[in-house]
């Protein structure tokens, strides 16, 4: 990288990205602790409520990066807590669909909404163009992260 100014910006971005990701992980843990849930369960509910349709356990495994066995145990916990139901797929009776229970998930979304109102203050001074740039960045970073997750999972374990 020839431009030292750009190199410094990349360094600063790398440090701030690590801080941001760590802060998010700690925030997710605090939300999970507050709700008496496991952090992975909270994230799974977040992902499930972002999906337009019910999903299979295999899809949950793909969304979360868990094995299908771990995803099954996660769904078992959520089902015991009343957060999801399992129903046979009408098009393929061999498949079981996992659906969030709106009344029970409302407990979690109420907290997300309360915190989301204050989260919006972070963006108040941004223009619409800047918000579009941030949104594009978040989308690209998410896609890139999924690619990197697959790459890391395929690597041999260090000694």
């Amino acid at each position: 990288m020839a431009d030292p100014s750009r190199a410094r910006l990349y360094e600063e971005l790398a440090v701030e990205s690590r801080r941001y990701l760590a802060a998010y992980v700690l925030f997710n843990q605090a939300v999970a602790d507050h709700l008496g849930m496991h952090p992975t369960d909270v994230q799974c509910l977040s992902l499930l409520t972002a999906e337009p349709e019910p999903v299979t356990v295999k899809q949950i495994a793909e969304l979360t990066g868990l094995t299908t066995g771990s995803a099954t145990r996660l769904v078992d916990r959520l089902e015991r807590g009343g957060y999801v139901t399992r129903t046979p797929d009408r098009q393929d009776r061999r498949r079981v669909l996992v659906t969030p229970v709106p009344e029970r998930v409302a407990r979690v979304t109420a907290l997300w909404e309360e915190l989301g109102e204050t989260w919006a203050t972070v963006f108040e001074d941004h223009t619409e163009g800047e918000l579009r740039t941030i949104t594009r960045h978040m989308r690209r970073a998410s896609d890139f992260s999924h690619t990197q997750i697959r790459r890391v999972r395929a690597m041999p374990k260090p000694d």
Side-chain angles (χ1 to χ4, degrees):
M1 192 173 305
D3 184 356
S5 175
R6 190 167 180 92
R8 279 191 302 279
L9 283 172
Y10 277 137
E11 276 182 43
E12 184 179 355
L13 182 58
V15 169
E16 291 307 319
S17 292
R18 289 191 349 242
R19 286 183 178 143
Y20 173 80
L21 292 171
Y24 183 80
V25 168
L26 295 170
F27 167 77
N28 186 61
Q29 181 68 56
V31 169
D33 290 346
H34 178 77
L35 295 168
M37 296 176 74
H38 189 280
T40 305
D41 298 2
V42 172
Q43 283 306 297
C44 182
L45 283 177
S46 177
L47 293 169
L48 285 176
T49 58
E51 291 297 311
E53 301 288 331
V55 296
T56 65
V57 171
K58 181 180 179 196
Q59 289 170 307
I60 290 172
E62 291 166 359
L63 287 169
T64 60
L66 297 171
T67 64
T68 53
S70 292
T72 297
R73 288 187 294 281
L74 182 153
V75 171
D76 290 344
R77 286 192 306 273
L78 291 175
E79 188 175 39
R80 276 193 307 275
Y83 291 100
V84 299
T85 59
R86 287 178 167 118
T87 55
D89 184 341
R90 289 186 178 147
Q91 271 108 38
D92 183 348
R93 303 280 297 164
R94 295 169 294 175
R95 289 179 7 144
V96 174
L97 297 175
V98 179
T99 306
V101 175
E103 301 79 24
R104 187 69 171 140
V105 173
R107 173 179 185 253
V108 180
T109 55
L111 181 59
W112 285 332
E113 287 171 7
E114 179 184 332
L115 296 169
E117 289 173 16
T118 55
W119 175 250
T121 63
V122 171
F123 301 107
E124 284 178 343
D125 63 342
H126 289 288
T127 65
E128 286 184 20
E130 289 171 330
L131 292 174
R132 281 190 287 278
T133 298
I134 293 167
T135 301
R136 186 178 73 240
H137 164 75
M138 297 298 282
R139 194 172 292 126
R140 289 174 67 188
S142 177
D143 291 346
F144 181 76
S145 292
H146 288 288
T147 300
Q148 294 297 79
I149 289 166
R150 287 189 297 276
R151 182 174 168 226
V152 169
R153 290 184 192 281
M155 289 178 170
K157 302 267 190 238
D159 293 332

